[in-house]
Amino acid sequence: MSTKKITSALISVFHKDGLEPIVKKLNELDVKIYSTGGTQQFINDLGIDVIPVEEVTDYPSILGGRVKTLHPKVFGGILNRQHNEGDVTEMKEYNIPQLDVVIVDLYPFEKTVSSGASEADIIEKIDIGGISLIRAAAKNYTDTICVSSMEDYQEFLDIISENNGEISLTDRKHFAAKAFNVSSHYDSAIFNYFNQDHSISSLKISEQNGKVLRYGENPHQKGFFFGDFEAIFDKLHGKELSYNNLLDVDAAVNLMAEFNDEAPTFAILKHNNACGIAQRDTVLEAYNDALAGDPVSAFGGILISNVEIDEAVSEEIHKLFCEVVIAPSYSEKALEILKRKKNRIILVQKEIKMPETTVRTCLNGVLVQDKDMKTDRLENLTHVTDNKPNSTELNDLIFASKICKNTKSNTIVLVKGKQLCASGTGQTSRVDALNQAIVKANAFNFNLDGAVMASDAFFPFPDCVEIADNAGITAVIQPGGSIKDGLSIDYCNANSMAMVFSGIRHFKH
C-alpha cells in the first residue's frame, strides 16, 4: 500500500519530551493507543484512553521491567504483512491487534557510560525490548511506521497533521532508514564498550551528527563532517567552516593541548602546521611574538590562544586577515572588535575529553592507532653529552619538542626564548628540513645564536648537528635510537653543544 491510514499505535518511550502533541493528535485521529509502564501513565495523565500491553499479552511486565513487550501478540501486530492472506488469517486466529505505528526509543546507554556509572547500571541500560521493536517495525515498513527517536517527533507530527493520519510508503521507508540508523549506532556503542581492550579486531565507528560541507579539500571534491562539533566549540560568529578549516582547527587544538595550564601561549597555524607560536607573560606579547615567527604565512591562518583574548590583543588580531580565532573565552570588547569582519570565525573552545585514537583511510580499508599522547618532559630526558643544557635551554627544548610533535614529518623545529623561530616541515630529508628552517629563520631576522633544535626522529648521521652548530644552535633534543648515535654525540662533545635524548619518536604523517 503506497499510502496508509493509521488506526493503531504502540508507544513505549524513555524520553517523553515532545510526546504530548503526538499523543493528542493520535487521539484526535481516533487512533487506538497501546502502551506500557511509565509511558502508559503519562498518556493516562493527559486524560487520553490507552490500552495496557498486558491486556493484549495476558502477561505482566516481569523481571523488574526487563520483559514487557517481548511477546508474539506484540510482534505479530508489528510484523504481519497485510497483503499476505496467511498472515491475515493467523492475526484473526490468535486475536492479534494490528499495530500501524511504533513509537519507541532506547535506554540512554552512551550517556550512562559517559556519566561514569557502575557496570551494573550500564548493563541495565542495554535496551532489549526497544531495539527489538525498532528493528521489527522498520523491517515491516510497507505496513508499519517506526518513530525511533525524539528527534523525529516533530517530523512525524507534521506528516500526520498535514495528511489527516495518512502516511506514504516513501515516508515509511524514510523512517525505517532512520530507525536502522538508531539501532546500528546503539549496537556499535555497546560493542565498543565491551571491546575497550580491542581484544576483538573489529572496527565499529558510528557518528550520527553529520554535516554537508561546501566542498572537500578542493572545490571539485564533495566534503562531509561527521561528529559533534558543538560539543567542543561554541561558534559565536562567522561563516561556515570548510573542510580545510576543520583540519586546521583540529591541528590547532592538538597543538595547544600541549600548553594547557601554562603561561599565556598563542599559536598561528597554516596547512596544519604552526607558522608561529610563543609563550609570554601576557596574551598580547604572546600573539605579537607568534606573528613575528612568520607574518607572511599568518595571512589566512588559524589563531588559537590558551587564555582569554582581551581587547588589546583583539585590536592587533583585527589588523590581520585570519580565517578562525579560537580561545577559551573572550572579553566583551574583544568580541565586539573581532566581529567587525563578518566572515571571521570565532570559536570558544570547551573543556572536553578528546578521542584517544586516530582513524584514516588507507588502500581499501582504514588505519587505526592510539593517538600520540606522550609529551616530552624534563624528568624523562637523558643527557648524553658532556655539555649539559642550562635551565633556559631545557625549557626551550621542551617547548620545541611540543611543537615538533605536532608538525608534519620530517620536521626540525628551532626555538629561542619560548618562541618559534622557524620549522622545516614535511621534508623527505631531515637535512632538508633543517636547512629550510635555518633559511626561514634568517629571512625573518631571527638570531639563532643560543637557539635550540628539536627533531621528530633520530639523526642517522652527524650532519644535522654540524649544520645546527654552524647556525649558532647550542642545544638539541631528539629521540635517539640510531646505531650511529655516537657520531652525533661525538660532534656535540667536540663543539661544546648540549644534546638530550627523549626516547620518544614523534612521527606525524
Side-chain angles (χ1 to χ4, degrees), residues 172-194:
R172 297 198 299 275
K173 191 171 184 177
H174 173 64
F175 273 80
K178 286 173 172 280
F180 284 121
N181 178 43
V182 168
S183 65
S184 62
H185 178 81
Y186 197 74
D187 284 338
S188 292
I190 295 169
F191 169 77
N192 288 331
Y193 171 77
F194 279 95

Side-chain angles (χ1 to χ4, degrees), residues 40 72 96 123 185 242 253 291 297 305 308 357 360 379 414 504:
Q40 176 189 331
I96 299 174
I123 298 305
H185 178 81
S242 69
V253 167
L291 181 62
S297 295
S305 170
E308 179 172 282
T357 56
R360 64 192 298 180
E379 58 269 24
L414 306 181
I504 303 294

Side-chain angles (χ1 to χ4, degrees), residues 213-341:
L213 305 176
R214 294 197 305 275
Y215 51 80
E217 203 162 4
N218 299 293
H220 62 278
Q221 297 169 268
K222 291 181 180 179
F224 307 87
F225 174 71
F226 294 97
D228 191 358
F229 187 83
E230 287 72 25
I232 307 174
F233 300 105
D234 285 327
K235 182 171 177 283
L236 305 182
H237 183 74
K239 63 182 181 180
E240 291 298 313
L241 281 92
S242 69
Y243 182 100
N244 292 327
N245 287 156
L246 289 166
L247 286 176
D248 283 332
V249 167
D250 177 70
V253 167
N254 286 324
L255 172 61
M256 196 53 70
E258 306 285 346
F259 303 97
N260 283 340
D261 303 320
E262 294 190 16
T265 306
F266 207 105
I268 304 172
L269 290 89
K270 197 74 171 289
H271 295 293
N272 308 161
N273 294 306
C275 57
I277 180 170
Q279 188 173 93
R280 295 292 182 261
D281 292 333
T282 69
V283 66
L284 176 60
E285 293 172 313
Y287 168 74
N288 285 332
D289 285 347
L291 181 62
D294 186 347
V296 175
S297 295
F299 182 86
I302 306 294
L303 280 56
I304 186 167
S305 170
N306 69 341
V307 296
E308 179 172 282
I309 288 181
D310 58 24
E311 178 181 358
V313 72
S314 66
E315 289 280 14
E316 295 303 312
I317 292 172
H318 189 61
K319 299 174 183 177
L320 174 73
F321 168 69
C322 59
E323 291 273 348
V324 183
V325 183
I326 308 167
S329 60
Y330 302 80
S331 72
E332 185 176 342
K333 189 64 178 177
L335 279 178
E336 179 184 320
I337 295 166
L338 294 174
K339 286 181 178 180
R340 290 174 188 167
K341 295 281 182 71

Side-chain angles (χ1 to χ4, degrees), residues 53 57 66-75 128-130 132-133:
V53 166
T57 63
R66 280 190 165 197
V67 180
K68 289 181 285 191
T69 56
L70 294 167
H71 194 280
K73 282 197 172 182
V74 174
F75 282 85
I128 303 300
S132 302
L133 291 169

Side-chain angles (χ1 to χ4, degrees), residues 75-88:
F75 282 85
I78 296 170
L79 284 164
N80 74 92
R81 295 157 293 186
Q82 295 179 27
H83 60 281
N84 183 292
E85 291 184 9
D87 286 6
V88 173

